[in-house]
Amino acid sequence: MPRPTRDAAPEPTPDFQPPVRSAKLADQLYEQVLAKIVSGEFAEGDKLPSETRLGGLFGVSRPVVREALSRLQADGLVAARHGAGSFVRHRPRTEFQSVAPIGSIADLMRCFEFRVALEGEAACLAAERHTAAELTAIEEALAALDRVIETGALGAEEDNAFHIAVARAAQNDLFTTALESLGRHVLNGIHVARILSLAHNRSRLRLVQDEHVAVVEAIRRRDPDGARNAMRRHIENARLRVLGRGDPAPGDEPDAGS
């Protein structure tokens, strides 16, 4: 007589909101999955629902799901295992969601990605072309950031002013125009990165300032490759710090899963 079998326990169904068609669908799915990672609903090491199931839950096609998962992988939050699916790799700290509310995060990450390319080349040209007056303006912006650290202020405006000063020293108005046209996105990214650094440990801002110093030193010695690399490294590190994946400052606890 065959042995009776038990039905497998049903897989829990995550609660996904219907997509808003006026916004990019992959961005919306990216942010909803990210929100569930931050909240712990999808814990580190957990397997995400399959592409087919995510598409069905969210009401979108598999190409949209793949794009969202690809961005999560690029940000180091999810890892794909061949033949096994996608798994949560890293959970940002909970305060991330309070200062970078859902609805703005995908734009924030894209802005960081664009700035790596834009400002890296601006710094390269600034090293080649800067005048004495432009170098002075960059150094004054750096000094203003030093004062911010001393007083414990946030310094988002001062940080933004530093990046604008470097772009102006490239002596190509299109760099400055592009950066200023991104003003709200750039300032939002700087604000989030700095407020999270302050919330984590104030000494983290010293690491950020050391990155600024590396950019200035390369520009000062007219080292285009060094300036490009220093600026690209700084902005990429800012993106990682926003996601809670940056190297811990001295005295900090290591990030979970890093």
Side-chain angles (χ1 to χ4, degrees):
M1 181 175 180
R3 180 178 299 175
T5 59
R6 293 183 180 178
D7 293 336
E11 187 177 353
T13 300
D15 178 26
F16 284 91
Q17 298 300 315
V20 180
R21 298 288 165 175
S22 60
K24 190 172 181 181
L25 299 181
D27 286 353
Q28 294 179 63
L29 182 55
Y30 166 97
E31 296 199 1
Q32 291 207 40
V33 173
L34 176 57
K36 294 180 187 305
I37 293 172
V38 173
S39 71
E41 184 175 343
F42 293 156
E44 287 182 356
D46 279 359
K47 181 180 178 179
L48 296 180
S50 68
E51 290 181 2
T52 301
R53 190 156 186 263
L54 277 174
L57 290 168
F58 194 62
V60 296
S61 65
R62 287 186 70 179
V64 169
V65 174
R66 287 182 185 134
E67 183 179 347
L69 291 175
S70 175
R71 295 195 64 81
L72 289 162
Q73 291 165 21
D75 288 338
L77 302 170
V78 166
R81 298 180 191 169
H82 184 66
S86 296
F87 294 78
V88 178
R89 178 182 177 188
H90 172 77
R91 176 188 175 190
R93 291 184 177 85
T94 52
E95 60 264 28
F96 166 74
Q97 204 166 329
S98 64
V99 297
I102 296 300
S104 67
I105 298 168
D107 281 346
L108 201 68
M109 294 298 106
R110 271 203 300 267
C111 185
F112 276 120
E113 188 174 77
F114 180 66
R115 287 179 61 202
V116 169
L118 176 73
E119 295 195 57
E121 292 310 304
C124 170
L125 292 175
E128 292 179 343
R129 300 175 178 176
H130 71 264
T131 65
E134 287 163 344
L135 180 60
T136 297
I138 292 171
E139 291 173 334
E140 288 175 350
L142 185 69
L145 282 168
D146 274 328
R147 291 192 292 273
V148 162
I149 293 174
E150 291 170 4
T151 61
L154 183 61
E157 295 284 354
E158 290 85 351
D159 200 327
N160 188 48
F162 171 83
H163 288 270
I164 293 291
V166 171
R168 286 177 178 152
Q171 295 187 25
N172 181 330
D173 289 344
L174 291 178
F175 281 104
T176 311
T177 300
L179 198 55
E180 290 177 341
S181 71
L182 292 169
R184 178 176 60 85
H185 297 290
V186 172
L187 198 57
N188 282 348
I190 291 172
H191 180 270
V192 170
R194 294 186 74 89
I195 201 169
L196 286 173
S197 290
L198 277 172
H200 185 54
N201 188 308
R202 186 172 294 179
S203 63
R204 179 68 66 87
L205 287 180
R206 186 68 253 174
L207 292 180
V208 177
Q209 187 69 342
D210 289 344
E211 294 171 4
H212 289 143
V213 169
V215 172
V216 175
E217 288 178 345
I219 291 173
R220 188 185 292 128
R221 65 176 180 265
R222 295 194 180 274
D223 176 2
D225 288 340
R228 178 195 291 115
N229 292 337
M231 182 63 86
R232 288 176 66 93
R233 188 180 310 114
H234 164 55
I235 297 172
E236 176 60 17
N237 283 348
R239 185 181 74 88
L240 294 177
R241 282 188 287 263
V242 164
L243 294 170
R245 291 179 53 222
D247 291 334
D252 288 353
E253 292 298 322
D255 294 331
S258 63

